[in-house]
Amino acid sequence: MRTTSHRRALGLLLVAGLGLVASSCGSGDDEPAAQSSGGADAKVTITVGCQPPKSNPKERTAWDEDVAEFQKLHPNITIESKDAFPCINPDTFQAKLAGGTQEDLFYVYYTDVQKIIKARQAADISEYVGSVKTLKDLRPDVLGVFKDGDKTYGLPRTNYNMGLVYNRKLFTQAGLDPNSPPKTWAEVHEAAKKIAGLGAGHVGFGEYSAGNTGGWHFAASLYARGGTMVSEDGKSAAFNSAEGKAVLENLKQMRWNDNSMGSKQLLQWEDLMRMMGAGKLGMMIGAPDVVQSVNNDFQGKFEDYGVTVVPESEGKASLAGGDGYMFNPKASPDKIKAGLLWLEFHELTPGEGQFNYQRSKAQGRPVGLPIPDLYGDTPPGKEITALRKQYATVPVEHFAPYANAQTSITNKLEPPKAQELYAVLDVAMSAVLTRKDADIDKLLADAEAKANKILERNS
Amino acid sequence: MAVVTARPPVRRSHPGAARRAVGRNLTAYGFLCGALICFAFFSWYPMIREVVLSFQQTNFVDPPRWVGLENFRTVFADPAFRSAWLNTAAFSGLALIVGYAIPFVLAVVLNELRHAKAYLRFVVYLPVMLPPAVGVLLFKWFYDPGAGLFNQVLDVFHLPPLSWLDSTSTALISLVIVSTWMNLGTGTLIYLAALQSIPGDLYESAELDGAGLFRRVWHVTVPQTKLILLVMLLLQVVATMQVFIEPYLLTGGGPENATVTVAYLMYQYAFNFGDFGGGGALGLMLMVVLMVFSAIYLRVSRDNQN
């Protein structure tokens, strides 16, 4: 009997121990009401994601200076910065939310915004967002990313759309004129063949086909040709079209007839960046932020690259991307108000925060890329463009073909269930790039059937 | 005739003795407690949570909603579902053919060696110390169709280059090769330990009877290590069916879904699509399959102990 009671006691001890640890691991963020009752000057602390990491000292210094200045302007607000590289890791998003460690003001890519809104994982800030002075000037398509109906769930930080990134140095080496980038796909073919002809390891044109990035770039090429991923009502797939077929035919031609895409396929996000940085890749679909990434993280040099529009896309749509901030669904009204003040100060005011180009130049950071474009042709937009020109440190003419086309190109957002559709289209992209006898009609028909099932589930 | 039972007689312990035993082992219980808490948190709790999640839809903000078998219906309807299971089974099968025999043969060879034994054991075990991601990325370079090591070797023998990861016919086996290489050391070490527990006089008798190396292996080594071979077989099935890191890092499930595995699809559901219910449903199915193999494993090891 005693043995049993000992065992029982030991068992209870264990269970109690587990319970204690479990409760101690609970979130400390579950009391939103505690700070929500104060007035405008109530003391409030907000956690904000995407502080630049220590490995990026110049940007971190700028951020920290901005935090200090902001807190001087608003002594009742304390900013607790959270750093990470990259700013968001989709793998940990749900876990942070579940564990209660999600920041009050969390960073997000455009691709995830609608998914987060639909999952009710962000706070509705419609009631408070009117306080942001430049709200009326924000591009409606960009602000639209963060809206669902007439409700607003976040604000943008950067915005760009897809173009064609090319290596000017390789263009020169291959006897091409870097100041006259390809305007048609036929010209891309010619340029790609010449660059691939430079010798082993050189790839004329690179394309993704794994980890959902293949489907993502399929959508970018499709939009540029005037095609669309889903029907108007979003209930059925619409990529099995002449434009969709043209995207795959074009790749098939370059891969197998021209041999200008290299033999290594199943490339994912960082693969093309690395090849660009190493000076081995001639061209790829991408926005100016690719150049930024290649410069910052993959040992490329700003001056070696140029960006133009996707060939034959003038006047048509371009897949838009970017990032911004959303609010923790558990954040109190005071935290939301404080967060909006910070966003206005750091992300949305010409000459301040991310648009403090004077400081960027003084720090030796690159200035002059035609991104982000949050305001279009409105007064703040013009002010930002003028400041960018005034303090430019990179050859802005390398990005002029892209920048000049912006007035005639429509930003087009990603389709619903984007990641699932991209996963489906990875199959078609990888087939065309790895199999010479790939049947494009069948691949698109299969993908369409699969996509319809996914969209049907969605609706 | 009396029937002899295999069950040992139940020993009745004296209450005082039991108390003393607990007191004596308090430190051990303390240590055990830590391990139990770790297991509870990092193994059992996630497992139970996963089972619960597979019947729910959750956004981690509102209370979760019970949806019955809807998550299972969703993943069943997924066109990649069939490919994932077929690829997982094929991976396990290929891993058994390629990866099961090699460590055993290596262990036999290492056991027979008279010189440089310790050095060679170290060399064989070395890959295990490499972080899996490093090993996988190293192979990514080996498989490079242009400058990769493997195609360079083929070139030396005037053989045409292979598309390794970029072809539906070679991608899966390429992943098996990586997996085999990374786990070679552990398997070899376990076999080696088993081989060394075989009494030397068995080999001496075999040698006296005129048995050569092959006959000694076949008639002494194999029967003596039969049980460990079976256990390793089951463990390998359980391990290979959970293959994730290789397709995740090397192929992204391509080309044409040729390397999508159940674990990879599960990851896609949970983290790419934000559908933890679907991921949970897949996880539960995989867990049930693995439990069958685990049950066989436990049965085999228990039989061995008895």
Side-chain angles (χ1 to χ4, degrees), chain A residues 144-158:
Chain A
V145 173
F146 294 90
K147 289 184 115 170
D148 185 30
D150 53 0
K151 289 186 173 168
T152 308
Y153 291 87
L155 286 172
R157 184 185 83 147
T158 64

Side-chain angles (χ1 to χ4, degrees), chain A residues 10 13-14 17-18, chain B residues 27-39:
Chain A
L10 201 68
L13 200 73
L14 270 179
L18 286 180
Chain B
T27 321
Y29 283 124
F31 278 108
L32 188 66
C33 201
L36 279 178
I37 288 172
C38 284
F39 269 119

Side-chain angles (χ1 to χ4, degrees), chain A residues 319-335:
Chain A
L319 182 68
D323 53 46
Y325 281 94
M326 297 177 91
F327 291 77
N328 193 312
K330 292 176 182 169
S332 65
D334 279 351
K335 285 191 177 201

Side-chain angles (χ1 to χ4, degrees), chain A residues 2 119 121 265 430 434-435, chain B residues 19 59 62 166 256 267 271:
Chain A
R2 275 202 183 164
Q121 291 171 329
Q265 298 304 327
S430 59
T434 61
R435 197 152 50 79
Chain B
R19 195 172 53 211
N59 64 356
D62 303 317
D166 296 344
E256 292 185 83
Y267 166 84
F271 300 110

Side-chain angles (χ1 to χ4, degrees), chain B residues 128-207:
Chain B
V128 180
M129 292 180 220
L130 216 59
V134 176
V136 169
L137 292 175
L138 185 72
F139 267 77
K140 195 172 187 173
W141 176 67
F142 287 167
Y143 284 137
D144 191 295
L149 178 76
F150 291 162
N151 277 352
Q152 302 281 346
V153 172
L154 289 178
D155 192 49
V156 170
F157 295 103
H158 303 289
L159 290 167
L162 276 177
S163 299
W164 300 106
L165 299 169
D166 296 344
S167 156
T168 44
S169 49
T170 51
L172 200 67
I173 187 77
S174 301
L175 299 193
V176 171
I177 293 170
V178 181
S179 171
T180 304
W181 181 79
M182 289 200 304
N183 298 309
L184 194 67
T186 312
T188 309
L189 212 67
I190 293 172
Y191 289 133
L192 205 55
L195 292 178
Q196 287 181 345
S197 67
I198 302 173
D201 47 4
L202 288 177
Y203 287 109
E204 279 170 28
S205 317
E207 263 183 77

